[in-house]
Amino acid sequence: MLGHSHATSGALAWAGAAAALPLSVLTFPALQYGHLGTVDLLMGTFLTAGAALLPDADHPNGTISHVLGPISHAACKLISRVSGGHRHATHSLAFVALVAYGTWAGEHWLGRWFTLGLVFFLLALAVRSLNLCPPGEGPRSYFTVMVLAAAGTFAMDQWISDKPSWLPFSVGLGALAHLIGDCLTDRGCRLFWPFQIRTRIPIIDRTGNKLETWIISPLFTLGTLAVLWYTITHHP
């Protein structure tokens, strides 16, 4: 799937999980608060959209590769070599668990600077994947991404806590939404890496085809807006 589709699927997954509070035991913030505040709900939407790009850190030519220019491109090339190539280690349930736990550990051991650094990176991914910056791979594109992500991080700094309990869930959920999306393609994913088994339900025969571009991605966007509106207007 395209980066835009992954981002919108992540946003929809977050909105749906928030609407389910406190019905689902998987949405662990309910265990503390019973619901998410409106500000946390909106912040989580953008951050989960960004997190839905994380599994493609193994793709040197993907959306995530160009989000911060040469820095992210070099990082993705390294991750691709270490993980075994595209749709291997980073497209597994083990990776979902790793990024969720890593977020929790970073919050608790490194503190606020880790939280804000992660917010900046996830916002940069969201800006890039949602096409809120000039197209292309040049400085004009990634400098715009950095400026918008920095502005968003400054705004969120006024609201987000040092250790938001919902952030590890947001990151893990975004990564999981990515895997589900890629399992809808013919190539599928090795969800149970390092085992060779591939999981696939080939609904999308080619990345970027008309079904994905004109139907699936717009439905994700409309669904996110509808669920957010319902959740906010029916806030207890």
Side-chain angles (χ1 to χ4, degrees):
M1 295 180 75
L2 296 173
H4 181 80
S5 301
H6 283 307
T8 53
S9 72
L12 179 58
W14 169 262
L21 288 173
L23 301 179
S24 172
V25 295
L26 297 178
T27 48
F28 68 82
L31 302 180
Q32 285 185 296
Y33 306 116
H35 66 269
L36 288 170
T38 300
V39 173
D40 288 334
L41 175 65
L42 296 177
M43 288 193 296
T45 301
F46 285 100
L47 297 181
T48 310
L53 275 292
L54 291 177
D56 272 350
D58 65 358
H59 192 349
N61 296 314
T63 301
I64 188 174
S65 174
H66 305 293
V67 66
L68 298 179
I71 298 174
S72 55
H73 184 61
C76 286
K77 289 177 67 176
L78 175 61
I79 293 171
S80 179
R81 287 197 295 268
V82 171
S83 66
H86 186 43
R87 294 202 187 186
H88 288 274
T90 67
H91 284 66
S92 67
L93 296 176
F95 180 78
V96 173
L98 176 65
V99 294
Y101 175 75
T103 301
W104 179 89
E107 284 183 345
H108 287 76
W109 295 343
L110 301 178
R112 188 167 188 80
W113 286 111
F114 171 85
T115 299
L116 293 179
L118 180 60
V119 165
F120 170 81
F121 184 59
L122 295 180
L123 284 179
L125 291 176
V127 168
R128 175 79 189 196
S129 59
L130 296 175
N131 302 321
L132 302 177
C133 63
E137 302 171 5
R140 181 168 173 261
S141 177
Y142 60 77
F143 279 142
T144 302
V145 169
M146 291 180 186
V147 170
L148 293 177
T153 302
F154 177 79
M156 288 192 181
D157 182 36
Q158 315 304 311
W159 301 98
I160 199 166
S161 65
D162 290 343
K163 303 173 184 177
S165 62
W166 50 265
L167 187 55
F169 173 75
S170 167
V171 172
L173 182 64
L176 181 61
H178 183 114
L179 302 192
I180 293 173
D182 277 355
C183 283
L184 299 180
T185 65
D186 184 63
R187 188 176 176 185
C189 291
R190 292 175 59 187
L191 295 182
F192 305 101
W193 178 91
F195 300 106
Q196 296 292 330
I197 302 170
R198 282 192 178 271
T199 303
R200 52 192 167 196
I201 306 175
I203 296 175
I204 302 173
D205 60 354
R206 180 175 56 84
T207 297
N209 65 8
K210 291 183 179 180
L211 174 63
E212 177 185 350
T213 305
W214 295 103
I215 298 178
I216 294 179
S217 187
L219 284 177
F220 285 162
T221 302
L222 292 174
T224 300
L225 294 175
V227 176
L228 285 176
W229 175 85
Y230 172 84
T231 303
I232 292 172
T233 56
H234 290 75
H235 199 285

